[in-house]
Amino acid sequence: MSDNDKLEAIRERIDSLDQQIQQLINARAAAAQEVADIKLAADPDAQFYRPEREAEVLRRVKARNTGPLDGEEVARLFREIMSACLALEQPLKIAFLGPEGTFTQAAALKHFGHSVKTTSLGSIPDVFREVESGICQYGVVPVENSTEGVISHTLDTFLSSPLMICGEVSLRINHNLLSHEAGLDAIKAVYSHQQSLAQCRSWLDHHLPRAERVAVGSNAEAAKMASDASGCAAVAGETAAEVYALPVLASNIEDEPGNTTRFLVIGNKDAAASGEDKTSLLFSIRNVAGGLHTILSPFAEHGISMTRIESRPSRRGRWDYVFFVDINGHRNDQSIAEALAELEKKASLFKVLGSYPRAVL
Amino acid sequence: MSDNDKLEAIRERIDSLDQQIQQLINARAAAAQEVADIKLAADPDAQFYRPEREAEVLRRVKARNTGPLDGEEVARLFREIMSACLALEQPLKIAFLGPEGTFTQAAALKHFGHSVKTTSLGSIPDVFREVESGICQYGVVPVENSTEGVISHTLDTFLSSPLMICGEVSLRINHNLLSHEAGLDAIKAVYSHQQSLAQCRSWLDHHLPRAERVAVGSNAEAAKMASDASGCAAVAGETAAEVYALPVLASNIEDEPGNTTRFLVIGNKDAAASGEDKTSLLFSIRNVAGGLHTILSPFAEHGISMTRIESRPSRRGRWDYVFFVDINGHRNDQSIAEALAELEKKASLFKVLGSYPRAVL
């Protein structure tokens, strides 16, 4: 067989595969419609988006994948297939911390797929309000926003919002060194948000050991300052480079090549158990010094691992601190339910922010 | 059967469909690898991206689609499946007119799917250079850029570049009225790029009949001006609203709800015939008045329809004009080949910029 004949035969095979794939995707959408019909008959306000079910599907796709496509890549395709099927039943509106083209929008599309409608909002509290009012069903916010120019601590907003966490998204984020200077020798000062400076510390230690590091409010502000003065550079993303017309002197300078930023998906309720879940909660105690160890003891006793703990000054009283804690597991797991009940008794303020599937993609 | 039993049965059906879909998608990727192996054995520099073949696949997907998913939506899923399969054979790098998050990046991802690597560049000539140098295999540029702040006529760049057009992308673009003023009554002047003002003329006639319209260099510049002065508004996109912290007084004010902007895909060669193609060319004549009618006569004689003609002053001589023409059909079609040969004899400058599939999505 000539090469051309061989190629023609393979192309015919691909065309036949495509027909089957298309048929099956439409069969899947029809099945999803049947689910919607049954749910709507029982409850006219039924919600069709089920984060735990989607996480299970994506995990299974990755687990059973044999290639040649990478499991991550196939999961991404299924994310889009589920997104299209869901849009047929119930078009989702997702609020995100704008503007368009930011990492948070990328996180929203990564989590929900491209068949949703995204709405850009100017602040984290605005995203919460848009979801609370029902204009959008879900919102996506960075846990702490440093790279996109608005300094706002998302966790604080949960103190006054009834919304819950129903998902998390991880996104890889790259930093660049931006400057009008022609070379590193001329750089006397480096501006950036504190967190970005920390994420690039080794690179800065090695390449710019004598340059002063100045922490400023946001990476965009840093880029603006670096564009106005000589001998200066900023650590910032590509968008800031373009907005302030600053050349990229060095790219991907973050110490951890897998430098990821975490975003939360917020909605009116959290997710059912998916098998691999996290639970976020906040609590407050009066006497921090000895109290913290005591209040956390139920986790140790029940063998529950904390993946993150952070303290924030409360705005309520002078000596009040609020702690934000993430643990592995779902709040309906028996051991976690017991530990949370014990912790609640000891805390002056206690709130479960939600249980949700660990990020799959 | 209870609702829960019914739902469980449907979910099992969906899981089984998902397994089959996954298997078929991987079989498709394996077949694409076979194609790559055969091509590589014959030519180590073989290119695997074939725009005409992708356009054919997408057209067929739309034509045979029976639902319930919309044909456009299924085609979008196949765009992603093909993107993933191609990335396995040959990871594509696509240069686009930046910054990140602009319409041009959206156009690039719409055309190539999300499995490519996109590189943001600061100007249209930079995009051409990035592709000419081989750093990126393809580039995406707006045909005329008005909304994204750089005024540059892409077509002019073809005069001095060996690159060809191998695809087109259409993107729906929305305009908003941005202002610090609380209501329309206070608006005395509206700034925007001339093209955006024209696209919103009816809306402006109706809602702001007395406001002066001022054409400025770009929509971003318009937003900046409106943010600095009172009694002013700008017509611009959502990004500009966020960057300049300008509230949106009215959204989607374009006269044609399907207001689309066209982008070109550029590469080292154009595309083979796909069955529904366009051809772009440029030519120059000395005496425009009578000459234009004469030079275009071969198209009429061969029954070829022009979809666009535009004249641009040439930078080469005082009385030289360059005409950019799009026609329906492929340059290898016999009637078009004949017409082009006749036209070439009459022109002082003549260049076929490329034949490529009409935009499918």
Side-chain angles (χ1 to χ4, degrees):
Chain A
M1 220 174 4
S2 75
D3 273 4
N4 269 341
D5 289 346
K6 278 189 218 159
L7 289 172
E8 198 41 54
I10 300 172
R11 287 209 186 95
E12 276 170 25
R13 179 145 46 93
I14 290 178
D15 288 343
S16 148
L17 287 167
D18 282 350
Q19 278 187 49
Q20 296 172 62
I21 293 169
Q22 181 165 5
Q23 215 170 8
L24 292 167
I25 289 175
N26 271 314
R28 190 194 203 282
Q33 279 184 321
E34 286 180 52
V35 171
D37 290 344
I38 294 173
K39 283 191 183 174
L40 276 181
D43 172 10
D45 296 323
Q47 292 285 318
F48 304 129
Y49 173 67
R50 285 184 53 209
E52 70 283 3
R53 163 89 180 147
E54 300 216 333
E56 277 170 32
V57 170
L58 294 179
R59 264 184 232 133
R60 239 176 287 152
V61 164
K62 284 173 84 169
R64 72 177 169 228
N65 192 57
T66 52
L69 284 177
D70 180 64
E72 192 86 6
E73 189 78 341
V74 185
R76 199 181 62 73
L77 294 174
F78 271 87
R79 149 64 38 247
E80 294 297 333
I81 292 171
M82 289 193 287
S83 184
C85 291
L86 182 65
L88 196 62
E89 303 167 46
Q90 182 180 52
L92 284 188
K93 280 197 207 161
I94 314 294
F96 70 96
L97 178 67
E100 297 271 334
T102 54
F103 293 126
T104 312
Q105 185 180 31
L109 293 172
K110 184 180 178 190
H111 187 81
F112 287 100
H114 285 73
S115 299
V116 298
K117 201 171 154 44
T118 57
T119 302
S120 158
L121 290 160
S123 73
I124 288 172
D126 283 348
V127 175
F128 274 76
R129 272 192 290 274
E130 197 83 353
V131 180
E132 286 169 19
S133 69
I135 298 173
C136 289
Q137 290 101 325
Y138 299 96
V140 177
V141 287
V143 171
E144 179 153 23
N145 191 36
S146 57
T147 52
E148 283 165 15
V150 186
I151 298 302
S152 164
H153 203 294
T154 297
L155 296 175
D156 292 344
T157 318
F158 282 107
L159 279 167
S160 54
S161 171
L163 294 184
M164 299 193 79
I165 303 173
C166 57
E168 62 167 1
V169 196
S170 286
L171 207 65
R172 195 161 297 180
I173 286 181
N174 297 321
H175 290 304
N176 307 300
L177 189 78
L178 314 179
S179 178
H180 281 306
E181 300 297 341
L184 295 179
D185 297 346
I187 311 263
K188 304 277 175 281
V190 180
Y191 298 99
S192 195
H193 186 267
Q194 194 173 341
Q195 197 175 313
S196 304
L197 287 174
Q199 287 169 347
C200 304
R201 195 173 52 188
S202 302
W203 192 94
L204 293 171
D205 284 349
H206 187 254
H207 292 91
L208 290 170
R210 280 180 304 274
E212 187 191 3
R213 291 173 211 172
V214 187
V216 296
S218 75
N219 292 4
E221 193 184 326
K224 187 172 185 317
M225 290 171 79
S227 73
D228 289 344
S230 67
C232 293
V235 173
E238 207 179 27
T239 307
E242 297 284 347
V243 168
Y244 297 103
L246 274 171
V248 175
L249 270 193
S251 54
N252 301 349
I253 63 169
E254 61 276 2
D255 299 334
E256 298 292 328
N259 175 21
T260 56
T261 290
R262 189 167 166 249
F263 301 82
L264 296 177
V265 183
I266 54 173
N268 287 298
K269 52 177 203 162
D270 61 347
S274 77
E276 280 182 51
D277 303 285
K278 278 176 153 182
T279 297
S280 295
L281 56 140
L282 65 81
F283 60 83
S284 183
I285 46 175
R286 286 274 155 194
N287 181 346
V288 173
L292 186 59
H293 180 76
T294 314
I295 200 168
L296 293 177
S297 58
F299 289 145
E301 284 155 21
H302 287 86
I304 295 160
S305 59
M306 286 193 294
T307 58
R308 173 193 162 114
I309 179 162
E310 191 180 345
S311 66
R312 300 273 303 162
S314 157
R315 295 179 201 144
R316 294 174 180 223
R318 249 213 291 185
W319 301 106
D320 246 351
Y321 280 79
V322 179
F323 292 87
F324 293 90
V325 171
D326 291 349
I327 55 177
N328 276 332
H330 195 278
R331 65 186 167 90
N332 291 344
D333 299 347
Q334 200 192 334
S335 62
I336 289 179
E338 286 170 13
L340 292 179
E342 288 167 38
L343 197 151
E344 181 166 13
K345 281 185 220 146
K346 300 178 185 174
S348 56
L349 171 73
F350 175 85
K351 191 175 172 183
V352 175
L353 301 181
S355 292
Y356 48 90
R358 176 186 298 281
V360 184
L361 284 178
Chain B
M1 219 174 3
S2 75
D3 273 4
N4 269 343
D5 288 346
K6 277 189 217 158
L7 288 173
E8 198 41 52
I10 300 172
R11 286 208 187 97
E12 276 170 25
R13 180 144 44 95
I14 290 177
D15 288 343
S16 147
L17 287 167
D18 281 351
Q19 279 189 46
Q20 296 172 61
I21 293 170
Q22 181 165 5
Q23 215 170 7
L24 292 167
I25 289 175
N26 270 316
R28 189 194 203 283
Q33 279 185 320
E34 287 180 52
V35 171
D37 290 344
I38 294 174
K39 284 191 182 173
L40 276 181
D43 171 10
D45 296 323
Q47 292 286 316
F48 304 129
Y49 173 66
R50 284 184 52 209
E52 70 283 3
R53 163 88 180 146
E54 300 217 334
E56 277 171 32
V57 170
L58 294 179
R59 265 184 231 134
R60 240 177 286 154
V61 164
K62 284 173 85 169
R64 72 178 169 227
N65 192 57
T66 53
L69 284 176
D70 181 65
E72 192 86 4
E73 189 79 340
V74 185
R76 200 181 60 72
L77 294 174
F78 271 88
R79 147 66 41 244
E80 294 298 333
I81 291 170
M82 287 194 287
S83 185
C85 292
L86 182 65
L88 196 63
E89 303 166 47
Q90 182 179 53
L92 283 189
K93 280 198 209 160
I94 314 294
F96 70 95
L97 177 66
E100 297 271 334
T102 54
F103 293 125
T104 312
Q105 186 179 29
L109 293 172
K110 184 179 178 191
H111 188 80
F112 286 99
H114 285 72
S115 299
V116 297
K117 202 170 154 43
T118 57
T119 301
S120 157
L121 290 161
S123 72
I124 288 173
D126 282 348
V127 175
F128 275 75
R129 272 192 290 273
E130 198 83 351
V131 180
E132 286 169 20
S133 69
I135 299 172
C136 290
Q137 290 100 326
Y138 299 96
V140 177
V141 287
V143 171
E144 179 152 22
N145 192 37
S146 57
T147 53
E148 283 164 14
V150 186
I151 298 301
S152 165
H153 204 293
T154 298
L155 296 175
D156 291 344
T157 318
F158 282 107
L159 279 168
S160 54
S161 171
L163 294 183
M164 300 194 78
I165 303 174
C166 58
E168 60 166 2
V169 197
S170 286
L171 208 65
R172 195 160 297 178
I173 287 180
N174 297 319
H175 289 305
N176 306 298
L177 190 77
L178 313 178
S179 179
H180 281 303
E181 300 297 340
L184 296 179
D185 297 347
I187 312 267
K188 305 276 175 283
V190 180
Y191 298 98
S192 195
H193 185 269
Q194 194 174 340
Q195 198 174 313
S196 304
L197 287 174
Q199 287 170 346
C200 304
R201 195 172 53 188
S202 303
W203 192 94
L204 293 171
D205 284 349
H206 188 254
H207 292 91
L208 291 170
R210 279 179 305 275
E212 188 191 1
R213 291 173 212 173
V214 186
V216 297
S218 75
N219 293 4
E221 192 183 327
K224 189 173 184 316
M225 292 171 79
S227 73
D228 289 344
S230 67
C232 293
V235 173
E238 207 179 25
T239 308
E242 298 284 347
V243 168
Y244 297 102
L246 273 172
V248 175
L249 270 193
S251 54
N252 300 349
I253 63 169
E254 60 276 4
D255 298 334
E256 298 293 328
N259 176 20
T260 56
T261 290
R262 188 166 167 251
F263 301 82
L264 296 176
V265 183
I266 54 174
N268 286 299
K269 52 178 203 163
D270 61 348
S274 77
E276 281 182 50
D277 302 285
K278 278 177 154 180
T279 297
S280 295
L281 57 139
L282 66 81
F283 60 82
S284 181
I285 45 176
R286 286 273 156 196
N287 180 347
V288 174
L292 186 60
H293 180 78
T294 313
I295 200 166
L296 293 177
S297 58
F299 290 144
E301 284 156 21
H302 288 85
I304 295 160
S305 61
M306 286 194 293
T307 58
R308 174 193 161 113
I309 180 162
E310 191 181 345
S311 66
R312 302 272 305 161
S314 158
R315 295 181 200 143
R316 294 175 180 223
R318 249 216 289 188
W319 300 105
D320 245 351
Y321 281 80
V322 179
F323 292 87
F324 293 91
V325 172
D326 290 349
I327 56 177
N328 276 332
H330 194 278
R331 65 186 167 89
N332 291 343
D333 299 346
Q334 200 193 336
S335 61
I336 290 179
E338 286 172 12
L340 292 179
E342 290 168 37
L343 198 151
E344 181 167 14
K345 281 185 223 147
K346 300 179 186 175
S348 56
L349 170 73
F350 174 86
K351 190 176 175 184
V352 175
L353 302 181
S355 291
Y356 48 90
R358 175 186 300 281
V360 183
L361 284 178

